[in-house]
Amino acid sequence: MPGPLLGVLYHWLGGLASASNFIPFRAIRRWSFEIYWIIQGVAAWLIAPSVVAWIFVPHVSEILSHAPHEAIVHAILYGVAWGFGGLTFGLAVRYLGIALGYAVALGFCTAFGTLIPPMLQGQFGIIASQTGGQIILLGVGVCLLAIAVNGLAGYYKDRDTAGETPTSEQQKDLSFGKGIVVAVFAGIMSSFFAFGLAAGKPIGDIAAAELRAQGKLDLWQNLPVLIVVLWGGFATNLAWSAWLILRKRSAGQLAGAVSDPQAGGANKLTGGQLVKNYLCAASAGIIWYFQFFFYSMGQTKMGKYDFSSWTLHMASIIIFAAIWGVSLKEWKSASRRAKAVLACGVGLLILSTVIVGYGNYRSAH
């Protein structure tokens, strides 16, 4: 049965997981981007989806083998396209910081990922003609406005801190110009994940039938879909990371070689730090996966307008990303104006989740 309020809670948990997955990267020392990125990718896109689906869904292999070939292929191809967004998303956060990087990239991701799937399915007119659908579209509009406000807050912060000397390795990489270009591209390509989930719906339907036949909750029906979409995403990221590793000759870092021997210290990471790097990269990937674990649960609770799940997910991510940005003192030197605009943007995002949740509630009753 639809339960939009519970669905909103699940999406908030997914947003918290997504906004938190970059935190373990901060503890990684003297590894190049491509090294820790592919380590987290193996955990996020291969291991975690398969293990979690195996735990909650009976006969996963049989479900995938009986799924329509077209659904499998389309889900993988959309996953490949999404992979470009996921790859460049990390660069967007690197260049813009957590708060602004998430706001800009996810703004475009929200617009494309929420509105395009129902348009392609010919449902947008029906959604716009019904009260519940109109309320949901209002919530989507408020979310997009909130993202623009958050982006303005990030712009003010960048101006306020333009003359400061970077105090950390992360701050040395900040670049507003490069970051905006990368974030726009990342946001558009990241929206293809929503298309992949829509294409994989026949897989979820088979999983739901199997779950009901086994007397289990169909709350887990989308977990096999995640496996397939993430296969495509992993292929993109593996190819890109492998190319970077070959070009930069950084494969030795997997065994402890350092990325910059001139940076000081020995030319090899100690065993403890090397293990820590692996654990941090893998934990970042597992945390990342759980955003879609909770997303898949929330989507099953949103009723007939489950396309709105994408907006709820994006809004929740930006809310928690902003909280992390403040907690990590990214906004320490920002002006009161920048902080006030950020607070306004976060408030609008919270309001948007309430509006979308209420629209789904009206549609279910």
Side-chain angles (χ1 to χ4, degrees):
M1 294 294 293
L5 298 182
L6 182 58
V8 170
L9 175 60
Y10 286 142
H11 285 306
W12 275 53
L13 291 174
L16 174 60
S18 179
S20 303
N21 86 291
F22 281 97
I23 303 304
F25 286 154
R26 301 172 69 88
I28 293 176
R29 296 290 179 266
R30 304 169 83 179
W31 259 8
S32 299
F33 167 79
E34 65 275 8
I35 297 297
Y36 64 74
W37 189 256
I38 197 58
I39 296 298
Q40 73 87 30
V42 170
W45 306 321
L46 289 185
I47 298 176
S50 299
V51 171
V52 173
W54 178 80
I55 292 172
F56 290 101
V57 182
H59 309 130
V60 175
S61 299
E62 289 82 352
I63 290 171
L64 294 178
S65 65
H66 288 90
H69 178 73
E70 183 180 4
I72 295 285
V73 171
H74 287 175
I76 291 176
L77 291 177
Y78 282 129
V80 169
W82 163 80
F84 288 101
L87 180 65
T88 50
F89 191 91
L91 291 176
V93 174
R94 179 179 172 184
Y95 290 141
L96 295 177
I98 292 177
L100 182 55
Y102 271 85
V104 176
L106 296 187
F108 285 90
C109 189
T110 300
F112 280 81
T114 301
L115 301 177
I116 299 301
M119 288 181 180
L120 294 177
Q121 296 168 3
Q123 299 176 348
F124 192 82
I126 298 174
I127 293 169
S129 67
Q130 298 178 350
T131 302
Q134 292 168 357
I135 295 174
I136 291 171
L137 292 177
L138 173 62
V140 173
V142 173
C143 179
L144 294 175
L145 173 63
I147 292 169
V149 172
N150 274 26
L152 180 62
Y155 171 73
Y156 286 149
K157 177 184 76 74
D158 187 77
R159 285 178 48 183
D160 296 337
T161 59
E164 292 186 358
T165 301
T167 58
S168 68
E169 290 299 319
Q170 286 79 16
Q171 288 177 320
K172 291 178 182 178
D173 290 330
L174 296 179
S175 172
F176 185 79
K178 287 193 295 185
I180 288 295
V181 174
V182 173
V184 170
F185 177 82
I188 293 174
M189 298 306 294
S190 293
S191 68
F192 279 87
F193 201 100
F195 303 167
L197 294 176
K201 190 177 184 304
I203 305 171
D205 292 339
I206 296 173
E210 181 65 28
L211 285 163
R212 288 192 291 268
Q214 298 291 329
K216 297 180 181 292
L217 294 174
D218 59 7
L219 191 66
W220 321 113
Q221 63 184 275
N222 290 323
L223 295 182
V225 183
L226 292 179
I227 293 176
V228 179
V229 177
L230 292 174
W231 282 343
F234 179 74
T236 303
N237 284 266
L238 177 63
W240 176 252
S241 298
W243 180 79
L244 285 178
I245 289 171
L246 290 174
R247 185 174 66 86
K248 298 168 65 174
R249 299 180 180 178
S250 55
Q253 294 177 33
L254 293 168
V258 297
S259 57
D260 183 8
Q262 305 302 319
N267 289 350
K268 198 173 183 66
L269 288 173
T270 62
Q273 182 60 53
L274 182 61
V275 171
K276 184 178 180 180
N277 280 5
Y278 273 102
L279 291 176
C280 287
S283 63
I286 293 171
I287 293 171
W288 181 95
Y289 167 75
F290 272 95
Q291 68 169 307
F292 285 113
F293 173 77
F294 288 113
Y295 178 94
S296 65
M297 295 165 61
Q299 189 178 30
T300 65
K301 291 295 182 181
M302 299 314 297
K304 63 180 180 179
Y305 293 144
D306 60 354
F307 78 94
S308 62
S309 289
W310 197 250
T311 295
L312 291 170
H313 185 61
M314 296 297 111
S316 301
I317 292 173
I318 301 173
I319 290 170
F320 288 108
I323 294 173
W324 272 120
V326 172
S327 300
L328 296 173
K329 299 182 179 180
E330 287 187 355
W331 296 77
K332 181 179 179 180
S333 301
S335 63
R336 289 185 177 180
R337 176 179 64 174
K339 294 175 182 177
V341 174
L342 176 67
C344 180
V346 171
L348 286 171
L349 284 168
I350 295 173
L351 176 62
S352 73
T353 65
V354 173
I355 294 173
V356 171
Y358 177 68
N360 282 279
Y361 175 81
R362 281 288 303 270
S363 300
H365 293 79

